[in-house]
Amino acid sequence: MIPKSHPRYKSLILREKIKNAYKEGYLADSGMIAHGRGEAFDYLIGEKTTPTSKNAIKTSVAMLLLAKNPVLSVNGNSTALAAKEIVDLANETNSKIEINLFYRTKKRVEIISKIYENLGYNNILGNDDKNLKYIDNIDSPRATASEEGIYSADLVLVSLEDGDRAEVLSDNGKKIIAIDLNPLSRTAKIADITIVDNIVRTIPLMIEYTKKLKSKDNKDLKRIIDDFSNENNIKKSLEHINLDKYN
Ligand code: ATP
């Protein structure tokens, strides 16, 4: 048991969740390493959502609300940290949820499907091997997608993902929202909107913004998107990692 008074309590709880996901068999060992990279960047941004990321989150919600077929792509890490919140966001924004795993095994897919089922979400996509298609005929596990989900999606939210996947999706004309604590990652650079923040803080904020923006006209939502520059967003996120503040 981690005592609540521990100065790194929140961070240690997330570590526990990741470790448990590995023990339960749905997170690959390299998923733990990816978590460690994220932890380091979270430390550097101060473990708080920056105003810059809040703006990226708000813009992402505007984009989700305007999309025709938005899909939230999930893997072992995002499921371990935020499965319930992902279901809530999907319901609020009328998005679909699809499993996409770098190290895909039948067992991992089954466990992850079950986690979402236990949360009352029965329409998870990407769990039927026979019906997966290859985006643009790219013969790579990174290009697999379900027909009604990512294959035909106009917008995909990826979190804690690697750059190859983002590249395939982007080359195929899909808009990409990425949740990635590393503003220097390939995914961060490829995405249309990069949210440089921890998924555990991002998704609840996205739900809050959805409630606020849902009643807005499409014109107002479009204006939010038009006013956003991802280049600027990444630049400001990098500026926030200012090591001088630790002196
Ligand atoms: P790329 O190929 O895009 O350059 P990468 O090789 O770093 O990225 P992975 O090792 O798969 O890709 O790592 C996944 C990414 O997820 C990392 O950039 C890491 O910073 C980020 N990450 C890890 N944990 C979290 C978290 N809790 N919230 C948001 N992002 C996270």
Side-chain angles (χ1 to χ4, degrees), residues 34 37-38 81 160 162-163 180-182 185-187 197-199:
R37 180 175 288 171
L81 297 176
L160 293 63
D162 74 299
D180 193 333
L181 277 160
N182 177 4
S185 76
R186 285 182 303 153
T187 307
D197 195 24
N198 199 315
I199 188 170

Side-chain angles (χ1 to χ4, degrees), residues 41-47 240-247:
F41 278 100
D42 208 9
Y43 211 110
L44 291 172
I45 67 168
E47 294 173 322
H240 190 80
I241 305 176
N242 170 6
L243 296 179
D244 286 347
K245 70 182 174 221
Y246 297 100
N247 287 333

Side-chain angles (χ1 to χ4, degrees), residues 73-117:
S73 178
V74 297
N75 59 18
N77 289 68
S78 52
T79 300
L81 297 176
K84 187 193 169 298
E85 292 74 13
I86 289 169
V87 169
D88 291 345
L89 181 64
N91 290 335
E92 281 291 336
T93 56
N94 270 327
S95 304
K96 295 168 180 164
I97 304 178
E98 177 156 342
I99 302 174
N100 185 270
L101 306 179
F102 192 92
Y103 297 105
R104 186 182 175 96
T105 65
K106 207 166 172 300
K107 184 181 160 207
R108 284 192 188 122
V109 171
E110 271 171 22
I111 301 175
I112 293 175
S113 299
K114 194 91 203 136
I115 290 173
Y116 286 92
E117 252 173 54

Side-chain angles (χ1 to χ4, degrees), residues 82-184:
K84 187 193 169 298
E85 292 74 13
I86 289 169
V87 169
D88 291 345
L89 181 64
N91 290 335
E92 281 291 336
T93 56
N94 270 327
S95 304
K96 295 168 180 164
I97 304 178
E98 177 156 342
I99 302 174
N100 185 270
L101 306 179
F102 192 92
Y103 297 105
R104 186 182 175 96
T105 65
K106 207 166 172 300
K107 184 181 160 207
R108 284 192 188 122
V109 171
E110 271 171 22
I111 301 175
I112 293 175
S113 299
K114 194 91 203 136
I115 290 173
Y116 286 92
E117 252 173 54
N118 289 342
L119 289 166
Y121 189 85
N122 296 309
N123 304 321
I124 195 117
L125 299 169
N127 58 356
D128 180 3
D129 279 5
K130 290 187 298 296
N131 285 322
L132 287 182
K133 299 187 77 161
Y134 283 92
I135 295 173
D136 244 7
N137 297 319
I138 300 169
D139 187 10
S140 148
R142 310 308 293 135
T144 53
S146 78
E147 181 148 24
E148 62 274 54
I150 290 176
Y151 193 81
S152 57
D154 53 343
L155 172 62
V156 185
L157 180 138
V158 297
S159 47
L160 293 63
E161 268 280 3
D162 74 299
D164 293 348
R165 172 95 181 133
E167 200 161 23
V168 169
L169 296 172
S170 167
D171 287 351
N172 210 255
K174 298 182 193 303
K175 292 254 182 259
I176 300 177
I177 299 169
I179 303 173
D180 193 333
L181 277 160
N182 177 4
L184 296 167

